[in-house]
Amino acid sequence: MEEAGRIDHLSGERQKAQFDLQPMRVLLAGGEHELDVAQRVAAIVARDPVFSKANRTRLSREELYKNSLRKASHGWKLIQQLKLTEEEAFKLRSLVDEPTFTDLHWGMFVPAIKGQATDEQQKYWLPLAYKMAVIGCYAQTELGHGSNVQGLETTATFDPATDEFVMNSPNLTSTKWWPGGLGKASTHALVYARLITDNHDYGIHAFIVQIRSLDDHKPLPGVTVADIGVKFGNAGYNTMDNGLLRFDQVRIPRNNMLMKLAKVTKEGKYISSDVPKQLAYGAMVYVRQSIVSDASVYLSRAVTIAVRYSCVRRQFGGQGNDPETQVIDYKTQQHRLFPLLATTYAYRIVGQWLKWLYSDVMNRLESYDFSTLPEVHACTSGLKSLTTSVAADGIEECRKLCGGHGYLCSSGLPELYAAYVPACTYEGDNVVLLLQVARFLLKTLSQLGGGVKPVGTASYLGNLPVLTKQGSRVSQGTDWLDHSNLLYAFEARAARLALVAAQLVQKAGNEAGFEQHSIELIEAARAHCELMVLSKFVERLQRGVPGRGVQRQLDILCEVYGLFLLVSRAGDFLSTGCLTPTQVALAKQQLQNLYTEVRPNAVALVDAFGHTDHYLGSILGRYDGDVYPNLYKDAWEEPLNKTVVTDGYEEYIRPILKQEFLPSRKARL
Ligand SMILES: Cc1cc2nc3c(=O)[nH]c(=O)nc-3n(C[C@H](O)[C@H](O)[C@H](O)COP(=O)(O)OP(=O)(O)OC[C@H]3O[C@@H](n4cnc5c(N)ncnc54)[C@H](O)[C@@H]3O)c2cc1C
């Protein structure tokens, strides 16, 4: 965002914009109110020296971690003192921009209690959690098992003599491994363990286990807990204390089992509750929808940096006194960058739709309407997988788009990537999630014969006879600007890939067939997810967007999103017979025409994300484009430059230069 008193090296770019910034900002923020909250909180965070990000990548792990504790504590103090609302507090934590234990406390521990605890248990735990009198983490994954939750080995054995569960880690692979906030900060863990009562194993259930003293923070008897060590990249996710946890016969009260869906009586009897299991589902939808929103935010940061820097950076061209060419004017740069810009907008819109979906699911769950749950599950799993994978790859592409300087930590991109890329793994490995989507597609197809009508994002499958036979109407390039043609091509591709995969699985026979054809299944699932994003983008545009030129820009971005995917996945469209080679060639040409329309608006389109320089943490992405003097200045902050002659010269460099290692005659072989 603009900061007073600086020369704006990008002002020429900003003047070229063909739309009004403010309504675009409102749209991206999700409304006037949301924009107001975001701007107010961003200003608080940006001006507070405790939240400074300078030098973060130069700190040791211990310093880095302690600094993240300081920020979390300061943030909590501000939330209390400024009496911030829940929405403002959430915003503040995300704008501080440092993965820390509070992410898991608020993002996993609290929602899991809401989803799985009885009303009475919620009355006890939630007030403690809300005031942070306890700090919670989410301890599901173990050394031996992550994706396969049913394979977890930690046990919770009920002892009727004392009315307690005994938590135990029977072997090395049952060690809890990865939970964020567990290593050093949490006092409590929401532990997933095998429930054993009456000599019967009832499978995986959730328990709240106190792991550290509330007085001196020491681990309680029988608890072994520690940090699992340094992770990928400088800073990045290393501000988080991902931990390991072992139990040696640790006793917890029976009532620490979360009992909304099943309970164990004093006598040790296991009783499934009459509350439908699906009710616990809301928490997962909530978590996944916030991950999808984050995907757009993280990608928008990388794209902002790459677009601004591509306007500043000049290479080649320029005759006489003319300046060299801005690298953003190279077609290849545009072909790598503008689709990512369009994807960011597409994900922002699908994220807003998922927010609506979450409230719709919660309303339905309240009235015990579970009819849309399978579709919602497929939709949130698939979108989590697609958006996080594309955002992570997109951040790395933006780093390359910034050439050599993108490799400097001061570009902000290496750290952004390191902090973001685990989103492809946590909350469900992205491949495993796509396989779940594929299962849903197979089931939907198998039910078509029985007259079950697919709903929501799968409803296009109800049109299978047309989609599998009728080709595209596109006969000239501009036909691709008709969104219904784009949508039809994507629906036909998704339907045909799903049908082909289903036929292969059926031919091979059930479960073995599923495994054997998992590559085809993943392709079908991905096509389904890409269609979801495109169709939500198109639906949003059909409702109309106010503001001078805003709708036009969004139309262009929607077309870039669709056509880029179409061109990059041409193999799918051609092999399934959805499109002819001529139609694909027309799409490619049209896509390039669209880049020309994006170009003058590129800087304004990233300004609309409204990221402060503090949040971007990037010299290359500075709002004012004043890159070179600041890169030069930053080099002098490097601790190695504190001395002119480096430490180590005397011991290691000088002896080489002075030929001191030459062997004596005697020592020669
Ligand atoms: C930074 C970070 C933070 C985390 N935070 C937490 C936390 O707070 N709490 C917590 O409990 N856990 C946490 N985790 C753990 C995370 O949830 C798991 O790592 C994740 O669920 C993946 O499981 P896994 O590690 O067992 O991967 P694996 O399942 O072992 O995956 C290994 C490979 O096998 C493939 N694979 C697995 N199963 C299949 C299959 N059926 N078909 C095809 N391919 C398959 C995967 O695609 C992957 O390529 C965190 C992880 C990270 C990296």
Side-chain angles (χ1 to χ4, degrees):
M1 266 198 290
E2 308 89 305
E3 284 176 34
R6 288 202 202 147
I7 297 171
D8 182 1
H9 297 265
L10 291 171
S11 66
E13 290 291 336
R14 296 192 163 104
Q15 280 157 17
K16 290 183 200 161
Q18 295 154 322
F19 69 99
D20 285 344
L21 202 53
Q22 186 62 11
M24 190 68 99
R25 280 191 170 149
V26 172
L27 175 110
L28 289 172
E32 303 262 3
H33 164 78
E34 287 79 357
L35 180 62
D36 173 59
V37 169
Q39 288 182 332
R40 273 189 296 109
V41 177
I44 295 172
V45 173
R47 68 171 173 252
D48 194 321
V50 176
F51 297 135
S52 163
K53 297 200 277 190
N55 274 333
R56 188 158 66 172
T57 54
R58 292 178 177 129
L59 299 180
S60 69
R61 176 84 201 288
E62 289 93 328
E63 291 166 326
L64 187 69
Y65 182 66
K66 184 141 184 217
N67 202 34
S68 80
L69 293 183
R70 180 166 167 244
K71 289 184 182 182
S73 171
H74 185 64
W76 184 238
K77 191 172 90 187
L78 285 181
I79 289 167
Q80 303 293 311
Q81 290 178 348
L82 302 174
K83 295 191 167 58
L84 298 191
T85 62
E86 205 174 313
E87 182 188 14
E88 290 163 341
F90 176 84
K91 202 76 206 169
L92 185 134
R93 280 192 292 272
S94 67
L95 289 170
V96 168
D97 189 30
E98 192 144 308
T100 189
F101 66 92
T102 54
D103 298 354
L104 280 300
H105 177 83
W106 294 105
M108 296 295 286
F109 185 67
V110 169
I113 292 175
K114 285 186 183 164
Q116 297 177 54
T118 61
D119 289 348
E120 209 174 296
Q121 289 177 319
Q122 291 191 35
K123 263 189 215 140
Y124 177 77
W125 287 107
L126 288 180
L128 291 172
Y130 283 149
K131 62 183 178 200
M132 297 202 82
V134 298
I135 297 171
C137 64
Y138 185 86
Q140 181 173 302
T141 308
E142 294 176 356
L143 198 50
H145 294 91
S147 304
N148 179 11
V149 177
Q150 298 315 316
L152 297 179
E153 296 170 285
T154 303
T155 52
T157 309
F158 184 62
D159 178 359
T162 58
D163 199 21
E164 289 170 322
F165 281 104
V166 183
M167 308 298 296
N168 199 40
S169 310
N171 48 28
L172 182 68
T173 49
S174 69
T175 307
K176 291 289 171 192
W177 194 273
W178 271 117
L182 167 68
K184 293 289 159 189
S186 295
T187 60
H188 289 66
L190 195 103
V191 175
Y192 285 82
R194 315 197 75 81
L195 190 163
I196 298 166
T197 181
D198 226 2
N199 291 322
H200 186 85
D201 181 342
Y202 285 91
I204 306 304
H205 290 73
F207 303 83
I208 296 185
V209 186
Q210 182 173 351
I211 52 171
R212 290 189 169 91
S213 157
L214 288 170
D215 296 323
D216 59 9
H217 215 59
K218 287 195 177 136
L220 294 184
V223 172
T224 302
V225 60
D227 185 277
I228 58 172
V230 178
K231 289 152 293 198
F232 181 75
N234 289 55
Y237 216 78
N238 284 303
T239 50
M240 183 70 88
D241 53 336
N242 293 93
L244 65 88
L245 174 66
R246 292 188 55 77
F247 298 116
D248 180 8
Q249 314 287 342
V250 172
R251 289 180 168 266
I252 57 169
R254 176 171 55 93
N255 200 32
N256 279 25
M257 168 187 171
L258 298 188
M259 299 209 202
K260 187 180 211 162
L261 305 176
K263 67 177 180 183
V264 170
T265 66
K266 249 194 198 153
E267 297 72 32
K269 196 164 171 324
Y270 180 90
I271 302 174
S272 290
S273 143
D274 51 6
V275 172
K277 285 209 174 359
Q278 291 92 329
L279 280 188
Y281 196 71
M284 201 196 280
V285 177
Y286 170 78
V287 172
R288 297 230 168 117
Q289 68 91 26
S290 52
I291 292 180
V292 173
S293 293
D294 279 354
S296 164
V297 173
Y298 274 80
L299 187 56
S300 72
R301 293 168 67 175
V303 167
T304 302
I305 295 167
V307 164
R308 288 183 182 160
Y309 179 65
S310 295
C311 291
V312 170
R313 186 70 171 171
R314 291 174 182 270
Q315 292 287 327
F316 303 106
Q319 303 291 318
N321 286 337
D322 289 349
E324 290 177 81
T325 306
Q326 291 168 284
V327 297
I328 198 166
D329 287 325
Y330 290 113
K331 283 281 170 222
T332 47
Q333 189 85 350
Q334 295 180 0
H335 188 50
R336 292 159 68 201
L337 185 51
F338 292 166
L340 290 174
L341 174 61
T343 303
T344 309
Y345 272 74
Y347 287 179
R348 188 65 62 99
I349 283 162
V350 86
Q352 290 172 358
W353 170 74
L354 270 186
K355 243 187 191 168
W356 168 85
L357 189 75
Y358 172 64
S359 59
D360 182 62
V361 166
M362 294 314 279
N363 289 337
R364 285 173 188 270
L365 290 183
E366 264 171 35
S367 49
Y368 283 24
D369 169 5
F370 306 127
S371 59
T372 60
L373 273 190
E375 189 255 328
V376 170
H377 177 69
C379 176
T380 49
S381 308
L383 287 175
K384 185 274 174 183
S385 172
L386 176 74
T387 60
T388 55
S389 291
V390 172
D393 291 350
I395 294 168
E396 170 59 3
E397 186 63 16
C398 286
R399 185 190 66 71
K400 293 184 200 145
L401 281 159
C402 294
H405 300 339
Y407 194 63
L408 276 171
C409 282
S410 60
S411 76
L413 291 164
E415 198 190 345
L416 191 66
Y417 181 72
Y420 186 69
V421 73
C424 299
T425 304
Y426 59 58
E427 260 306 294
D429 170 87
N430 281 353
V431 169
V432 175
L433 289 181
L434 280 185
L435 289 171
Q436 291 178 14
V437 177
R439 268 192 203 283
F440 163 77
L441 292 175
L442 293 189
K443 193 162 177 199
T444 307
L445 288 178
S446 72
Q447 288 174 337
L448 285 179
V452 181
K453 226 174 145 204
V455 293
T457 51
S459 50
Y460 71 98
L461 289 174
N463 196 21
L464 208 58
V466 176
L467 290 172
T468 48
K469 290 208 175 63
Q470 203 169 290
S472 164
R473 291 189 311 225
V474 167
S475 62
Q476 51 188 353
T478 48
D479 287 344
W480 279 123
L481 305 184
D482 179 342
H483 294 180
S484 63
N485 285 334
L486 260 182
L487 265 185
Y488 185 83
F490 273 71
E491 286 184 355
R493 172 183 68 140
R496 292 179 193 207
L497 286 176
L499 196 64
V500 168
Q503 285 163 349
L504 287 170
V505 171
Q506 202 181 22
K507 215 160 136 197
N510 301 333
E511 207 43 45
F514 191 88
E515 166 49 31
Q516 197 181 330
H517 295 292
S518 51
I519 294 172
E520 287 87 351
L521 287 164
I522 293 265
E523 283 164 0
R526 190 178 297 117
H528 173 73
C529 298
E530 288 171 351
L531 164 64
M532 270 194 271
V533 176
L534 182 70
S535 66
K536 293 302 152 196
F537 205 161
V538 170
E539 272 173 29
R540 178 66 192 84
L541 294 179
Q542 281 166 350
R543 298 211 307 274
V545 185
R548 182 187 66 92
V550 175
Q551 174 96 25
R552 173 84 193 115
Q553 291 309 313
L554 293 170
D555 278 338
I556 293 169
L557 291 173
C558 179
E559 287 144 22
V560 170
Y561 177 75
L563 289 176
F564 177 77
L565 276 180
L566 192 152
V567 169
S568 10
R569 308 233 188 276
D572 282 0
F573 288 94
L574 292 171
S575 66
T576 50
C578 299
L579 297 178
T580 64
T582 307
Q583 288 168 326
V584 173
L586 289 172
K588 201 180 261 182
Q589 189 51 52
Q590 202 54 46
L591 180 61
Q592 294 188 27
N593 296 344
L594 289 168
Y595 293 154
T596 312
E597 301 206 43
V598 175
R599 168 64 186 94
N601 296 287
V603 167
L605 286 168
V606 298
D607 283 350
F609 297 128
H611 298 316
T612 59
D613 279 350
H614 169 273
Y615 189 54
L616 285 183
S618 165
I619 291 177
L620 305 190
R622 289 169 63 101
Y623 180 85
D624 63 6
D626 194 18
V627 171
Y628 296 131
N630 284 290
L631 276 180
Y632 189 77
K633 199 168 119 210
D634 189 68
W636 296 105
E637 300 295 321
E638 168 54 46
L640 276 179
N641 292 333
K642 275 188 194 147
T643 55
V644 180
V645 175
T646 189
D647 183 20
Y649 164 74
E650 289 295 337
E651 303 100 295
Y652 307 119
I653 299 181
R654 193 171 191 282
I656 297 173
L657 292 172
K658 297 296 172 192
Q659 316 287 298
E660 287 177 15
F661 295 143
L662 283 184
S664 64
R665 240 169 225 280
K666 257 193 189 167
R668 282 198 194 130
L669 283 174

